[in-house]
Amino acid sequence: MDWSDDARYLAFTRNNIGTGTDLKILAIDDEGRQSYDFLQTAVSEAHTQFAPGTPPRWVAYSADETGRREIYVRAFTPGQPASGAMWQVSSEGGTMPRWRGDGRELFYLGLDGGMMSVAVNGDGAAFRSAPPITLFELHRPTLRTNSIEFDVTRDGQRFLIIEPSELAPFQTLSLVTNWLPRK
């Protein structure tokens, strides 16, 4: 899902029987690599991204704690599982969180298809966020994969987005059989 800015931590997901999709961290240092469970709950977590900074202080992710996907933030302490404290950033569903380069804003896709923005502040011990606002409308996310389908520039002013193409009602399929290469 994401590398920390210092390339010492890799966030990834793992499907587990009984707990769904959980968040794991691969820590890389001079002595080698070690993975550990960062967040293992009864709900499914995905779309993780570290906040900017070295080491990162926060992790944003989506989870279905409420029965629908929402965006949450938890503190990140290298080598430790997530603490019990979490902050819900989205208010009406969301997925695929992305941090602005200075860590002062989170973007995510609303479940209705809006590109959402939330002003955040993680300077203190507690995380604070403003109410989400809609920046612009997109196609509703289909959650086809566990991949992030958009990114944002470090200044938060431009977006690169994978949008589904409009398919024609009928498409021609050509099938070639008994094809032999030339000798």
Side-chain angles (χ1 to χ4, degrees), residues 71-174:
I71 304 300
Y72 298 93
V73 172
R74 287 189 187 247
F76 177 74
T77 303
Q80 300 294 315
S83 69
M86 70 178 181
W87 294 268
Q88 184 175 331
V89 174
S90 58
S91 60
E92 297 184 25
T95 187
M96 302 179 203
R98 308 302 287 164
W99 295 90
R100 188 172 73 192
D102 63 2
R104 298 283 184 198
E105 189 173 16
L106 259 174
F107 303 98
Y108 64 90
L109 290 179
L111 297 183
D112 64 353
M115 177 61 69
M116 308 302 290
S117 167
V118 178
V120 297
N121 186 330
D123 290 341
F127 189 84
R128 295 186 313 271
S129 63
I133 60 169
T134 303
L135 297 177
F136 51 88
E137 295 294 326
L138 297 165
H139 286 95
R140 188 171 184 211
T142 58
L143 300 177
R144 298 181 303 269
T145 68
N146 205 18
S147 300
I148 302 292
E149 297 184 7
F150 80 95
D151 206 354
V152 61
T153 55
R154 291 190 64 76
D155 64 3
Q157 298 301 303
R158 293 181 290 167
F159 294 81
L160 179 63
I161 302 166
I162 299 172
E163 280 277 330
S165 63
E166 297 294 327
L167 297 177
F170 299 98
Q171 292 184 338
T172 304
L173 172 66
S174 298

Side-chain angles (χ1 to χ4, degrees), residues 25-103:
I25 302 291
L26 177 66
I28 303 168
D29 59 24
D30 295 336
E31 299 175 18
R33 299 176 212 159
Q34 180 179 355
S35 67
Y36 63 93
D37 292 325
F38 177 71
L39 190 56
Q40 188 174 23
T41 67
V43 302
S44 182
E45 298 92 12
H47 304 117
T48 311
Q49 190 180 34
F50 291 107
T54 303
R57 290 194 58 217
W58 307 102
V59 172
Y61 63 96
S62 66
D64 54 4
E65 294 267 345
T66 64
R68 70 175 172 202
R69 287 250 163 232
E70 299 282 357
I71 304 300
Y72 298 93
V73 172
R74 287 189 187 247
F76 177 74
T77 303
Q80 300 294 315
S83 69
M86 70 178 181
W87 294 268
Q88 184 175 331
V89 174
S90 58
S91 60
E92 297 184 25
T95 187
M96 302 179 203
R98 308 302 287 164
W99 295 90
R100 188 172 73 192
D102 63 2

